[in-house]
Amino acid sequence: MYLSASSYGNPPAAPWRTGVSLLNGWLPLTAQIVTVVLLVVVVGWRTRRWRLLWLPVAAAVGVLGALVVRWYVDANALATDPAPTSLWVWIGVTAGALAVAVLGWRGARWWRRVLSVPVIPLGLLCTGLVLNQWVGYFPTVQEAWAQITAGPLPDQVDASQLAALQGKASTMSTGRVVGVNIPDTASHFTHREEYVYLPPAWFAGAHHPRLPVLMMIGGEFNTPADWIRTGGAISTIDAYARSHHGEAPILVFVDSGGSFNNDTECVNGPRGNAADHLTKDVRPYVVSHFGASSDPADWGVVGYSMGGTCAVDLAVMHPELFGTFQDIAGDQGPIVGDKQTTIKDLYGGDAVAWARFDPMTVLANHAAYTGTAGRFDNNPPGGGTGFPGGGWGGGRNRNGRGGHGGKHWHGGGSMTRSGPMGFGGRDIPGDGMGNQAADAQQLCAAAKKKGIACTLNYEPGGHTWQFAGTAFSDALSWLAGRVHTPNA
């Protein structure tokens, strides 16, 4: 068990430290100051009737708006850790600003009417900035713009350019990222474009070396590029390659959801055959098209949040495909509510399918494993997340048990609450990050009983992509060694 900020000496993945920060610095503060000043000017002193009647009404609308949004977040389980108070404050301010504009429009002077209009979008901007500080999804203005406009990824080239780079590994300081449209022949899983990172060593000679592979899986609310844009995976792997003579694993950034808010939990079911896509479409494609090793000892799975759950699940279900996993802030198993809700929504009512994909059940029924190892990364048990703390990660939301609900459940237990299906099929309000650490402890203990070597690693932070990026950076030397990367 380790408590470390940089266990293996790799430079932290830190694209959020370049450009104009959306997480701290002058921009969020300036936006908030400008909004408050304009709102004070718009409210004004006005008339006695305004101060005693309409202004209190506008304030009440603001409070009601914040309470309604908070109820909706809880009812639809859109969060894991408690939101920062400033989020509810800015939601209330925005709702109140709208009420001030409407209620005070008739008797206001023309300039006050003009100023009352931009206060509303400015309030929404401040709300968005606080939300983003909570989850860390857009570290900088540049990253936000690139993702919104689908700008080029770091190291990205067109597939047609790969042949011209062959034999030029000695001149390359970085690898290359290429978009791939992998056929869904086996799974029939509708998915988006996925990405493959090829290290400089892949371009070394006339014949591609049979390099190992790490499959990278993001959170519930996701795009396949999240590990690249927000998790800093490319800067991390490039730094590793530079310090190892161009050698590094191939990374494949997969689509586990098919759309931004489709929570498949990487299983086969009504939401799509995500498991088959990852195991029967993606893995053979990378082996056949990029000459990667097919040896399960040379394949690992790395996942954050929902992806962490996927990582451990794929490894224990398919030791013939994956020999190594890293579970970053994942849950004890695929879950979208209590057990009954999960069986109904995730597996179409098939309890046998639930047992087939439940890692604790799989471990209990599996023979001893040979050569499988895993690593769990979480915040320290009992909290210590700080602000911006855990949130809607995919950043995504992991609710309850470190992501899914009000109480732990497993193998027939129960939870306290259920609600209507919200974004990504999330059903149960959350109760904090500490439970993910408890889930990891239970999974690791069960894995060790079956011969799987595993470690529990704790670092302060929150349920954010910044935490995930740092955890991957810290683990990369271990991962590279586990999958037999040359010069590791």
Side-chain angles (χ1 to χ4, degrees):
M1 185 180 300
Y2 303 97
L3 178 60
S4 158
S6 56
S7 305
Y8 297 98
N10 294 315
W16 48 87
R17 295 178 185 172
T18 62
V20 180
S21 176
L22 291 174
L23 301 180
N24 47 51
W26 66 268
L27 181 57
L29 180 61
T30 300
Q32 292 171 357
I33 292 174
V34 170
T35 303
V36 169
V37 169
L38 281 181
L39 182 58
V40 170
V41 172
V42 168
V43 169
W45 192 244
R46 304 199 193 189
T47 65
R48 179 180 174 85
R49 179 179 175 82
W50 167 252
R51 297 191 300 272
L52 296 181
L53 176 60
W54 297 118
L55 189 56
V57 170
V61 169
V63 172
L64 181 61
L67 291 175
V68 168
V69 173
R70 184 166 186 172
W71 167 84
Y72 182 82
V73 169
D74 286 343
N76 290 277
L78 299 180
T80 170
D81 286 353
T85 303
S86 53
L87 178 63
W88 310 122
V89 169
W90 278 108
I91 291 172
V93 167
T94 305
L98 177 61
V100 166
V102 173
L103 297 174
W105 187 270
R106 193 169 185 179
R109 296 181 179 181
W110 67 268
W111 57 268
R112 216 185 283 273
R113 290 182 181 180
V114 171
L115 291 179
S116 68
V117 174
V119 169
I120 299 168
L122 281 172
L124 290 172
L125 173 63
C126 292
T127 301
L129 287 169
V130 172
L131 175 61
N132 185 65
Q133 287 176 320
W134 186 28
V135 303
Y137 197 71
F138 297 122
T140 65
V141 172
Q142 290 83 344
E143 289 292 335
W145 179 254
Q147 183 144 324
I148 292 170
T149 60
L153 300 170
D155 297 352
Q156 186 172 11
V157 297
D158 189 82
S160 62
Q161 298 175 267
L162 295 179
L165 294 169
Q166 203 60 39
K168 297 183 179 180
S170 61
T171 67
M172 299 172 65
S173 61
T174 65
R176 296 295 185 268
V177 173
V178 60
V180 291
N181 292 301
I182 299 175
D184 60 359
T185 308
S187 68
H188 304 292
F189 180 72
T190 302
H191 60 88
R192 296 161 289 185
E193 184 178 38
E194 294 161 304
Y195 301 94
V196 174
Y197 167 86
L198 302 168
W202 190 81
F203 300 92
H207 301 286
H208 303 301
R210 292 197 173 276
L211 293 176
V213 182
L214 296 178
M215 181 180 289
M216 310 293 291
I217 308 176
E220 175 196 343
F221 297 149
N222 77 87
T223 72
D226 284 353
W227 262 113
I228 301 174
R229 294 195 188 279
T230 313
I234 298 304
S235 61
T236 296
I237 196 69
D238 274 340
Y240 178 91
R242 280 192 294 272
S243 64
H244 291 79
H245 309 289
E247 300 282 2
I250 294 171
L251 304 186
V252 53
F253 301 92
V254 298
D255 185 5
S256 62
S259 63
F260 184 74
N261 65 334
N262 182 36
D263 182 13
T264 69
E265 301 282 316
C266 299
V267 306
N268 294 333
R271 298 178 182 182
N273 294 327
D276 282 352
H277 175 61
L278 302 180
T279 59
K280 298 179 181 180
D281 293 334
V282 172
R283 193 182 188 280
Y285 182 91
V286 174
V287 171
S288 63
H289 282 72
F290 297 101
S293 171
S294 61
D295 189 335
D298 297 342
W299 275 75
V301 192
V302 177
Y304 163 55
S305 196
M306 181 204 73
T309 307
C310 299
V312 65
D313 209 14
L314 288 169
V316 300
M317 289 183 67
H318 297 286
E320 78 283 3
L321 300 179
F322 307 100
T324 302
F325 68 88
Q326 183 187 16
D327 175 353
I328 305 171
D331 295 307
Q332 200 176 81
I335 178 175
V336 295
D338 58 22
K339 182 178 178 180
Q340 290 70 33
T341 301
T342 298
I343 291 173
K344 176 175 68 72
D345 292 346
L346 202 55
Y347 301 103
D350 187 348
V352 174
W354 174 88
R356 187 165 62 249
F357 285 97
D358 177 66
M360 291 292 283
T361 303
V362 172
L363 285 166
N365 295 328
H366 202 282
Y369 292 78
T370 301
T372 300
R375 170 182 168 129
F376 296 87
D377 287 85
N378 287 283
N379 296 141
T385 61
F387 178 81
W392 309 21
R396 64 160 266 147
N397 64 323
R398 298 307 291 162
N399 302 300
R401 305 188 317 96
H404 286 82
K407 283 185 180 178
H408 284 271
W409 64 265
H410 209 279
S414 63
M415 301 179 79
T416 57
R417 296 182 284 178
S418 63
M421 185 166 67
F423 291 122
R426 190 58 54 221
D427 303 281
I428 304 296
D431 68 343
M433 286 291 297
N435 287 329
Q436 289 169 332
D439 288 346
Q441 292 169 1
Q442 294 183 49
L443 282 166
C444 191
K448 285 181 175 179
K449 290 180 181 179
K450 292 294 182 165
I452 296 176
C454 70
T455 58
L456 299 168
N457 303 273
Y458 301 111
E459 296 183 25
H463 200 78
T464 67
W465 270 110
Q466 287 69 51
F467 175 79
T470 299
F472 174 59
S473 177
D474 290 348
L476 182 53
S477 288
W478 175 80
L479 289 164
R482 278 288 311 168
V483 297
H484 306 112
T485 305
N487 295 326

